[in-house]
């Protein structure tokens, strides 16, 4: 089945780090832009970071770019490294892939394949 799946979430103390992994199924990330989104309780889903097909271009939201880094090292896995985590980073994190996006951006409607989401909880 064509899609993506997140892994690596869990509970971490404030100030700690966590790496999320997005794994592709029946598609390749060298032909898809990949992005991470997150949704906190009671809030809308927001864009976090994205990476282009080639991996040469990345973009992160202004409020997160100093702490979160997106990367990929092969055609099947993309990563979100999260450092200095805060309680407000608690959310469900989603990976999404877009075969039609050139470069990358954080506009949700352009993303075709979505994972089920992975919970990240930052405790004090």
């Amino acid at each position: 089945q064509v899609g993506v799946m997140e892994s690596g979430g869990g509970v971490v103390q404030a100030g700690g780090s966590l790496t999320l992994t997005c794994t592709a199924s029946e598609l390749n990330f060298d032909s898809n832009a990949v992005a991470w989104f997150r949704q906190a309780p009671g809030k809308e889903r927001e864009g976090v970071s994205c990476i282009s097909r080639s991996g040469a271009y990345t973009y992160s939201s202004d409020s997160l770019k100093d702490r979160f880094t997106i990367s990929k090292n092969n055609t099947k896995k993309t990563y979100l490294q999260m450092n200095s985590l805060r309680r407000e980073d608690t959310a469900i994190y989603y990976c999404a892939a877009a075969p039609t996006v050139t470069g990358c951006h954080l506009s949700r409607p352009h993303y075709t394949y979505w994972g089920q989401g992975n919970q990240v909880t930052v405790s004090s």
Side-chain angles (χ1 to χ4, degrees):
Q1 185 174 356
V2 180
V4 295
M5 183 173 65
E6 309 89 348
S7 60
V11 180
V12 61
Q13 286 193 329
S17 298
L18 204 61
T19 300
L20 300 180
T21 300
C22 178
T23 302
S25 174
E26 302 297 327
L27 60 84
N28 291 318
F29 286 154
D30 59 359
S31 56
N32 283 265
V34 181
W36 287 94
F37 296 82
R38 70 181 186 181
Q39 188 165 16
K43 295 187 176 181
E44 290 191 0
R45 194 170 299 187
E46 64 172 343
V48 175
S49 296
C50 64
I51 189 166
S52 63
R53 299 170 185 174
S54 68
Y57 179 75
T58 62
Y59 174 81
S60 295
S61 69
D62 288 341
S63 62
L64 299 173
K65 62 183 179 181
D66 292 336
R67 300 187 294 120
F68 289 17
T69 303
I70 191 171
S71 64
K72 63 178 180 179
N73 63 3
N74 58 49
T75 61
K76 292 294 188 182
K77 292 188 184 294
T78 299
Y79 307 95
L80 182 68
Q81 174 69 40
M82 305 183 292
N83 298 323
S84 302
L85 284 162
R86 306 168 181 169
R87 290 190 65 184
E88 53 264 39
D89 294 320
T90 294
I92 298 174
Y93 284 73
Y94 298 88
C95 173
T100 60
V101 170
T102 301
C104 81
H105 55 69
L106 296 177
S107 174
R108 284 183 292 164
H110 290 88
Y111 285 84
T112 303
Y113 305 105
W114 288 82
Q116 295 294 313
N118 203 212
Q119 178 70 46
V120 172
T121 302
V122 183
S123 63
S124 58

